[in-house]
Amino acid sequence: ALVSALHRNSALWLCWAVDVADDANALPKSLRGQIFYLSRFVQHHTTEILNTNSDPDSLIDINKAILKGLEHKGPVS
């Protein structure tokens, strides 16, 4: 189950990296860079977890932080 979850999470972050690397992406450049950096970290740490049985808690924390940041209350400005 862990390997499957890591694979799906890695694929999601790879999609986000590709999206924010596109010059047509409307997000601010600094935010795009931060998301891209996080994607690289996720890819690296996923490999480390798979190779060394490291704890996946840091990936869980990152995903929770992203989800919290995506929560939106009120009209979009």
Side-chain angles (χ1 to χ4, degrees):
L2 177 61
V3 172
S4 178
L6 288 169
H7 174 72
R8 289 191 315 269
N9 189 60
S10 180
L12 173 64
W13 278 97
L14 183 58
C15 286
W16 285 345
V18 169
D19 188 49
V20 298
D22 186 341
D23 288 335
N25 187 296
L27 289 174
K29 207 167 203 171
S30 62
L31 179 57
R32 290 170 49 202
Q34 292 169 337
I35 293 169
F36 190 85
Y37 170 79
L38 279 174
S39 176
R40 290 187 52 152
F41 175 83
V42 167
Q43 302 304 322
H44 174 78
H45 197 62
T46 297
T47 300
E48 186 175 310
I49 292 167
L50 292 170
N51 289 337
T52 65
N53 292 325
S54 298
D55 194 329
D57 285 348
S58 61
L59 297 182
I60 294 167
D61 292 343
I62 289 169
N63 287 353
K64 284 181 178 180
I66 293 295
L67 287 172
K68 184 173 178 144
L70 290 173
E71 288 179 354
H72 180 72
K73 297 178 176 50
V76 176
S77 49

XYZ file of all heavy atoms in Angstrom:
600
model
N 0.824 -1.195 0.000
C 0.000 0.000 0.000
C 0.872 1.265 0.000
O 0.543 2.233 -0.670
C -0.945 -0.002 1.194
N 1.971 1.232 0.774
C 2.838 2.411 0.840
C 3.471 2.700 -0.516
O 3.498 3.849 -0.968
C 3.923 2.230 1.906
C 4.941 3.368 2.015
C 4.254 4.681 2.372
C 6.024 3.020 3.022
N 3.951 1.671 -1.187
C 4.586 1.870 -2.493
C 3.585 2.461 -3.485
O 3.918 3.388 -4.234
C 5.173 0.538 -3.020
C 5.650 0.675 -4.453
C 6.312 0.074 -2.124
N 2.368 1.975 -3.469
C 1.335 2.493 -4.364
C 1.030 3.961 -4.048
O 0.917 4.795 -4.957
C 0.069 1.648 -4.240
O -0.954 2.160 -5.054
N 0.903 4.283 -2.769
C 0.628 5.668 -2.371
C 1.781 6.586 -2.758
O 1.561 7.709 -3.242
C 0.370 5.732 -0.870
N 3.006 6.123 -2.561
C 4.172 6.929 -2.941
C 4.208 7.164 -4.447
O 4.523 8.274 -4.905
C 5.462 6.253 -2.486
C 5.728 6.263 -0.988
C 6.882 5.335 -0.646
C 6.000 7.676 -0.491
N 3.871 6.138 -5.208
C 3.850 6.278 -6.666
C 2.810 7.309 -7.105
O 3.096 8.181 -7.930
C 3.578 4.926 -7.322
C 3.393 5.017 -8.798
N 4.439 5.265 -9.656
C 2.283 4.935 -9.564
C 3.987 5.331 -10.894
N 2.678 5.126 -10.858
N 1.612 7.226 -6.554
C 0.549 8.175 -6.928
C 0.920 9.596 -6.508
O 0.687 10.557 -7.245
C -0.788 7.750 -6.324
C -1.366 6.498 -6.972
C -2.807 6.212 -6.565
N -3.070 6.346 -5.142
C -2.980 5.367 -4.248
N -2.612 4.161 -4.627
N -3.256 5.590 -2.972
N 1.482 9.737 -5.314
C 1.883 11.052 -4.842
C 2.984 11.635 -5.716
O 2.941 12.818 -6.091
C 2.346 10.956 -3.382
C 2.577 12.306 -2.766
O 1.667 13.121 -2.677
N 3.803 12.544 -2.325
N 3.945 10.808 -6.071
C 5.036 11.246 -6.931
C 4.513 11.687 -8.300
O 4.944 12.718 -8.838
C 6.048 10.114 -7.076
O 7.110 10.494 -7.901
N 3.578 10.926 -8.844
C 2.990 11.272 -10.145
C 2.252 12.611 -10.072
O 2.339 13.429 -10.995
C 2.052 10.163 -10.617
N 1.533 12.846 -8.985
C 0.814 14.118 -8.819
C 1.798 15.279 -8.783
O 1.614 16.287 -9.479
C -0.012 14.080 -7.535
C -0.690 15.388 -7.132
C -1.728 15.784 -8.176
C -1.317 15.253 -5.759
N 2.860 15.140 -7.997
C 3.840 16.214 -7.894
C 4.578 16.439 -9.207
O 4.928 17.571 -9.547
C 4.810 15.946 -6.744
C 4.217 16.377 -5.436
C 3.570 15.595 -4.523
C 4.186 17.709 -4.932
N 3.143 16.366 -3.470
C 3.512 17.667 -3.695
C 4.658 18.929 -5.388
C 3.299 18.799 -2.913
C 4.462 20.051 -4.616
C 3.783 19.984 -3.399
N 4.791 15.385 -9.961
C 5.415 15.538 -11.271
C 4.504 16.334 -12.206
O 4.971 17.223 -12.936
C 5.748 14.173 -11.867
C 6.469 14.193 -13.216
C 7.776 14.973 -13.128
C 6.727 12.773 -13.678
N 3.218 16.059 -12.156
C 2.248 16.828 -12.963
C 2.292 18.303 -12.587
O 2.274 19.180 -13.453
C 0.836 16.288 -12.777
S 0.521 14.733 -13.600
N 2.337 18.577 -11.280
C 2.404 19.970 -10.836
C 3.700 20.631 -11.303
O 3.688 21.799 -11.700
C 2.277 20.064 -9.321
C 0.879 19.841 -8.822
C -0.272 19.857 -9.559
C 0.485 19.555 -7.489
N -1.350 19.597 -8.746
C -0.912 19.413 -7.482
C 1.178 19.398 -6.305
C -1.635 19.138 -6.323
C 0.462 19.127 -5.148
C -0.922 19.000 -5.167
N 4.804 19.907 -11.259
C 6.086 20.470 -11.703
C 6.025 20.838 -13.180
O 6.485 21.916 -13.576
C 7.222 19.485 -11.438
N 5.471 19.960 -13.980
C 5.340 20.230 -15.413
C 4.446 21.456 -15.625
O 4.760 22.327 -16.438
C 4.785 18.990 -16.156
C 4.391 19.331 -17.574
C 5.809 17.864 -16.137
N 3.361 21.535 -14.877
C 2.427 22.647 -15.026
C 3.070 23.980 -14.663
O 2.934 24.961 -15.396
C 1.181 22.405 -14.178
C 0.091 23.414 -14.440
O -0.223 23.655 -15.629
O -0.455 23.968 -13.468
N 3.780 24.042 -13.535
C 4.365 25.319 -13.123
C 5.600 25.684 -13.937
O 6.016 26.850 -13.945
C 4.670 25.367 -11.605
C 3.405 25.222 -10.792
C 5.714 24.345 -11.206
N 6.188 24.729 -14.634
C 7.339 25.023 -15.494
C 6.912 25.661 -16.818
O 7.743 26.252 -17.516
C 8.132 23.753 -15.770
N 5.644 25.563 -17.125
C 5.116 26.125 -18.374
C 5.037 27.646 -18.255
O 4.462 28.181 -17.301
C 3.726 25.538 -18.633
C 3.141 25.930 -19.972
O 3.602 26.915 -20.583
O 2.204 25.237 -20.405
N 5.621 28.361 -19.207
C 5.603 29.827 -19.188
C 4.192 30.398 -19.237
O 3.965 31.538 -18.824
C 6.414 30.388 -20.356
C 7.906 30.199 -20.153
O 8.337 30.092 -18.986
O 8.627 30.151 -21.162
N 3.229 29.616 -19.704
C 1.843 30.077 -19.777
C 1.128 29.977 -18.429
O 0.012 30.483 -18.292
C 1.073 29.278 -20.827
N 1.765 29.380 -17.435
C 1.151 29.266 -16.118
C 0.999 30.655 -15.521
O 1.951 31.434 -15.486
C 2.000 28.368 -15.213
C 1.330 28.080 -13.899
O 1.102 28.979 -13.099
N 1.028 26.815 -13.670
N -0.202 30.976 -15.026
C -0.509 32.325 -14.551
C -0.119 32.583 -13.093
O -0.258 33.715 -12.625
C -2.001 32.601 -14.736
N 0.358 31.574 -12.397
C 0.780 31.802 -11.012
C 2.004 32.717 -10.988
O 2.776 32.747 -11.948
C 1.138 30.473 -10.345
C 0.000 29.518 -10.025
C 0.559 28.192 -9.507
C -0.956 30.119 -9.020
N 2.178 33.455 -9.883
C 3.389 34.275 -9.760
C 4.640 33.401 -9.879
O 4.664 32.259 -9.407
C 3.272 34.867 -8.357
C 1.813 34.799 -8.019
C 1.291 33.596 -8.729
N 5.653 33.963 -10.521
C 6.875 33.205 -10.788
C 7.494 32.640 -9.507
O 7.990 31.507 -9.491
C 7.878 34.086 -11.526
C 8.818 33.324 -12.381
C 9.570 34.253 -13.310
C 10.036 33.407 -14.484
N 10.575 34.180 -15.547
N 7.475 33.395 -8.417
C 8.067 32.913 -7.166
C 7.304 31.708 -6.623
O 7.916 30.746 -6.136
C 8.124 34.026 -6.119
O 6.822 34.474 -5.796
N 5.981 31.730 -6.710
C 5.177 30.601 -6.258
C 5.414 29.386 -7.146
O 5.538 28.259 -6.653
C 3.691 30.968 -6.241
C 2.721 29.862 -5.813
C 3.066 29.327 -4.429
C 1.291 30.384 -5.861
N 5.516 29.618 -8.436
C 5.815 28.519 -9.367
C 7.144 27.874 -9.007
O 7.279 26.647 -9.001
C 5.840 29.043 -10.799
C 4.459 29.431 -11.304
C 4.489 30.160 -12.614
N 5.307 29.497 -13.612
C 5.835 30.109 -14.654
N 5.621 31.396 -14.854
N 6.556 29.451 -15.521
N 8.127 28.686 -8.676
C 9.434 28.167 -8.294
C 9.371 27.354 -7.010
O 10.014 26.301 -6.893
N 8.593 27.826 -6.056
C 8.454 27.105 -4.792
C 7.778 25.751 -5.009
O 8.195 24.745 -4.436
C 7.675 27.939 -3.786
C 8.435 29.160 -3.324
C 7.563 30.126 -2.543
O 6.346 30.144 -2.662
N 8.207 30.951 -1.727
N 6.747 25.725 -5.825
C 6.055 24.464 -6.116
C 6.998 23.514 -6.847
O 7.054 22.319 -6.551
C 4.768 24.714 -6.918
C 3.758 25.460 -6.048
C 4.179 23.404 -7.439
C 2.545 25.990 -6.801
N 7.762 24.048 -7.789
C 8.716 23.213 -8.526
C 9.765 22.634 -7.573
O 10.100 21.453 -7.645
C 9.382 24.022 -9.645
C 10.178 23.167 -10.581
C 9.555 22.542 -11.645
C 11.537 22.980 -10.403
C 10.276 21.732 -12.517
C 12.271 22.178 -11.266
C 11.632 21.556 -12.325
N 10.272 23.472 -6.667
C 11.250 23.001 -5.683
C 10.651 21.892 -4.819
O 11.306 20.874 -4.558
C 11.742 24.152 -4.805
C 12.552 23.669 -3.641
C 13.884 23.292 -3.797
C 11.978 23.542 -2.375
C 14.626 22.808 -2.727
C 12.711 23.052 -1.310
C 14.027 22.689 -1.492
O 14.749 22.208 -0.425
N 9.420 22.090 -4.343
C 8.771 21.057 -3.532
C 8.617 19.757 -4.313
O 8.795 18.667 -3.764
C 7.403 21.537 -3.048
C 7.403 22.448 -1.835
C 5.989 22.968 -1.566
C 7.956 21.741 -0.612
N 8.302 19.867 -5.587
C 8.173 18.672 -6.416
C 9.504 17.923 -6.485
O 9.534 16.696 -6.369
C 7.705 19.038 -7.823
O 7.665 17.890 -8.625
N 10.579 18.643 -6.655
C 11.905 17.994 -6.688
C 12.208 17.321 -5.359
O 12.744 16.218 -5.318
C 12.982 19.011 -7.042
C 12.878 19.455 -8.504
C 14.013 20.303 -8.893
N 15.250 19.592 -8.538
C 16.398 19.733 -9.142
N 16.487 20.554 -10.151
N 17.464 19.086 -8.758
N 11.868 17.997 -4.264
C 12.066 17.405 -2.941
C 11.246 16.132 -2.797
O 11.740 15.112 -2.308
C 11.693 18.389 -1.826
C 11.764 17.767 -0.461
C 12.967 17.683 0.213
C 10.622 17.239 0.132
C 13.040 17.076 1.470
C 10.687 16.629 1.378
C 11.893 16.554 2.055
N 9.973 16.182 -3.208
C 9.098 15.012 -3.115
C 9.672 13.855 -3.924
O 9.708 12.715 -3.451
C 7.658 15.356 -3.553
C 6.822 14.100 -3.772
C 6.993 16.276 -2.535
N 10.139 14.136 -5.136
C 10.709 13.077 -5.966
C 11.933 12.460 -5.287
O 12.074 11.231 -5.219
C 11.097 13.612 -7.356
C 9.968 14.227 -8.150
C 8.780 13.307 -8.356
O 8.930 12.120 -8.568
N 7.593 13.861 -8.284
N 12.810 13.307 -4.776
C 14.031 12.830 -4.119
C 13.698 12.031 -2.856
O 14.234 10.945 -2.635
C 14.947 14.008 -3.776
C 16.141 13.622 -2.982
N 17.243 13.019 -3.541
C 16.395 13.730 -1.655
C 18.133 12.774 -2.599
N 17.640 13.197 -1.445
N 12.832 12.581 -2.027
C 12.515 11.922 -0.766
C 11.736 10.619 -0.996
O 11.914 9.662 -0.240
C 11.752 12.862 0.156
C 11.759 12.413 1.585
N 12.915 12.289 2.324
C 10.755 12.026 2.396
C 12.617 11.852 3.527
N 11.309 11.682 3.605
N 10.907 10.584 -2.025
C 10.192 9.351 -2.357
C 11.190 8.236 -2.680
O 11.062 7.108 -2.199
C 9.224 9.573 -3.539
O 8.239 10.528 -3.138
C 8.543 8.285 -3.957
N 12.183 8.565 -3.484
C 13.225 7.587 -3.816
C 13.953 7.127 -2.555
O 14.216 5.932 -2.379
C 14.218 8.187 -4.821
O 13.503 8.554 -6.003
C 15.328 7.209 -5.173
N 14.246 8.074 -1.682
C 14.929 7.737 -0.428
C 14.070 6.798 0.427
O 14.579 5.834 1.002
C 15.240 9.016 0.340
C 16.072 8.784 1.571
C 16.454 10.090 2.243
O 16.950 10.993 1.556
O 16.241 10.192 3.458
N 12.794 7.071 0.520
C 11.886 6.221 1.299
C 11.873 4.808 0.719
O 11.965 3.820 1.455
C 10.459 6.805 1.323
C 10.430 8.107 2.116
C 9.472 5.801 1.913
C 9.143 8.905 1.942
N 11.771 4.718 -0.591
C 11.723 3.405 -1.237
C 13.032 2.640 -1.082
O 13.026 1.419 -0.932
C 11.366 3.558 -2.710
C 9.943 4.029 -2.993
C 9.789 4.386 -4.468
C 8.918 2.978 -2.575
N 14.150 3.346 -1.099
C 15.460 2.684 -1.016
C 15.906 2.361 0.404
O 16.682 1.424 0.606
C 16.536 3.537 -1.695
C 16.382 3.551 -3.192
O 15.784 2.658 -3.773
N 16.913 4.589 -3.821
N 15.438 3.139 1.376
C 15.965 2.981 2.741
C 14.885 2.754 3.787
O 15.199 2.715 4.975
C 16.777 4.222 3.149
O 15.899 5.352 3.224
C 17.912 4.491 2.179
N 13.645 2.651 3.360
C 12.529 2.510 4.299
C 12.440 3.683 5.270
O 12.060 3.512 6.431
C 12.598 1.188 5.070
C 12.356 0.003 4.170
O 11.560 0.082 3.233
N 13.039 -1.093 4.446
N 12.801 4.874 4.792
C 12.687 6.080 5.607
C 11.218 6.367 5.900
O 10.322 5.845 5.255
C 13.292 7.280 4.878
O 14.651 7.083 4.636
N 11.011 7.241 6.854
C 9.669 7.619 7.274
C 9.046 8.581 6.252
O 9.678 9.564 5.871
C 9.765 8.305 8.636
C 8.445 8.453 9.329
O 7.416 8.595 8.649
O 8.448 8.421 10.567
N 7.814 8.340 5.811
C 7.168 9.221 4.830
C 6.490 10.438 5.453
O 5.812 11.190 4.758
C 6.129 8.300 4.178
C 5.752 7.352 5.255
C 7.029 7.127 6.042
N 6.668 10.671 6.750
C 5.949 11.758 7.419
C 6.184 13.125 6.793
O 5.277 13.954 6.749
C 6.286 11.807 8.913
C 5.598 10.700 9.696
O 4.686 10.040 9.143
O 5.966 10.492 10.869
N 7.393 13.396 6.312
C 7.643 14.719 5.721
C 6.798 14.922 4.462
O 6.306 16.025 4.211
C 9.126 14.927 5.419
O 9.578 13.966 4.501
N 6.608 13.855 3.673
C 5.752 13.978 2.488
C 4.303 14.208 2.892
O 3.591 15.007 2.259
C 5.853 12.726 1.618
C 7.225 12.414 1.022
C 7.145 11.166 0.152
C 7.756 13.595 0.242
N 3.873 13.534 3.931
C 2.507 13.718 4.435
C 2.328 15.150 4.911
O 1.312 15.801 4.610
C 2.197 12.703 5.549
C 2.191 11.285 4.973
C 0.873 13.023 6.234
C 2.204 10.182 6.007
N 3.312 15.683 5.625
C 3.239 17.059 6.119
C 3.166 18.063 4.971
O 2.402 19.033 5.037
C 4.437 17.377 7.009
C 4.415 16.612 8.329
O 3.348 16.094 8.714
O 5.492 16.526 8.965
N 3.955 17.846 3.938
C 3.929 18.746 2.773
C 2.552 18.718 2.124
O 1.967 19.765 1.819
C 5.017 18.363 1.751
C 6.401 18.704 2.302
C 4.785 19.053 0.407
C 7.544 18.144 1.496
N 2.015 17.523 1.907
C 0.698 17.417 1.270
C -0.386 18.069 2.111
O -1.271 18.752 1.576
C 0.361 15.958 0.981
C 1.163 15.393 -0.160
O 1.889 16.106 -0.837
N 1.040 14.104 -0.374
N -0.328 17.895 3.429
C -1.311 18.531 4.313
C -1.202 20.050 4.232
O -2.220 20.745 4.209
C -1.116 18.065 5.756
C -1.638 16.675 6.019
C -1.435 16.309 7.489
C -1.980 14.943 7.813
N -1.770 14.585 9.238
N 0.024 20.568 4.181
C 0.219 22.019 4.089
C -0.336 22.559 2.769
O -0.964 23.617 2.744
C 1.700 22.362 4.231
N -0.116 21.818 1.688
C -0.645 22.248 0.387
C -2.169 22.244 0.417
O -2.816 23.198 -0.038
C -0.112 21.349 -0.749
C 1.392 21.535 -0.924
C -0.858 21.597 -2.055
C 1.817 22.919 -1.381
N -2.753 21.180 0.963
C -4.214 21.106 1.051
C -4.769 22.251 1.882
O -5.781 22.859 1.514
C -4.656 19.771 1.634
C -4.519 18.581 0.706
C -4.792 17.279 1.460
C -5.473 18.709 -0.467
N -4.124 22.556 2.989
C -4.583 23.665 3.830
C -4.500 24.982 3.064
O -5.394 25.810 3.142
C -3.762 23.736 5.111
C -4.245 24.792 6.053
C -3.536 24.737 7.381
C -4.060 25.879 8.229
N -4.163 25.573 9.604
N -3.433 25.157 2.300
C -3.277 26.372 1.514
C -4.289 26.484 0.386
O -4.628 27.583 -0.046
N -4.771 25.343 -0.084
C -5.760 25.359 -1.160
C -7.183 25.601 -0.668
O -8.067 25.904 -1.462
C -5.717 24.034 -1.936
C -4.478 23.808 -2.775
C -4.470 22.392 -3.358
C -4.374 24.851 -3.888
N -7.390 25.454 0.644
C -8.716 25.752 1.184
C -9.023 27.205 0.904
O -8.189 28.088 1.084
C -8.741 25.508 2.696
C -8.702 24.058 3.086
C -8.699 23.871 4.600
O -8.607 24.864 5.343
O -8.763 22.719 5.012
N -10.225 27.446 0.461
C -10.591 28.811 0.114
C -11.926 29.138 0.740
O -12.882 28.399 0.587
C -10.648 28.988 -1.393
C -11.028 30.383 -1.777
N -10.175 31.431 -1.631
C -12.174 30.865 -2.275
C -10.789 32.525 -2.022
N -11.992 32.211 -2.411
N -11.953 30.243 1.422
C -13.193 30.692 2.037
C -13.487 32.091 1.523
O -12.763 33.012 1.783
C -13.055 30.669 3.546
C -12.815 29.266 4.074
C -12.623 29.279 5.563
C -12.473 27.926 6.157
N -11.534 27.015 5.594
N -14.546 32.208 0.732
C -14.935 33.510 0.210
C -14.688 33.616 -1.273
O -14.147 32.709 -1.899
N -15.065 34.736 -1.851
C -14.944 34.922 -3.302
C -13.487 35.031 -3.745
O -12.639 35.521 -3.020
C -15.696 36.231 -3.572
C -15.820 36.902 -2.259
C -15.697 35.863 -1.184
N -13.237 34.563 -4.944
C -11.909 34.686 -5.537
C -11.733 36.107 -6.017
O -12.604 36.672 -6.668
C -11.765 33.685 -6.726
C -10.425 33.889 -7.405
C -11.940 32.265 -6.242
N -10.578 36.704 -5.721
C -10.362 38.096 -6.161
C -9.454 38.158 -7.356
O -8.803 37.284 -7.746
C -9.788 38.931 -5.033
O -8.693 38.304 -4.431
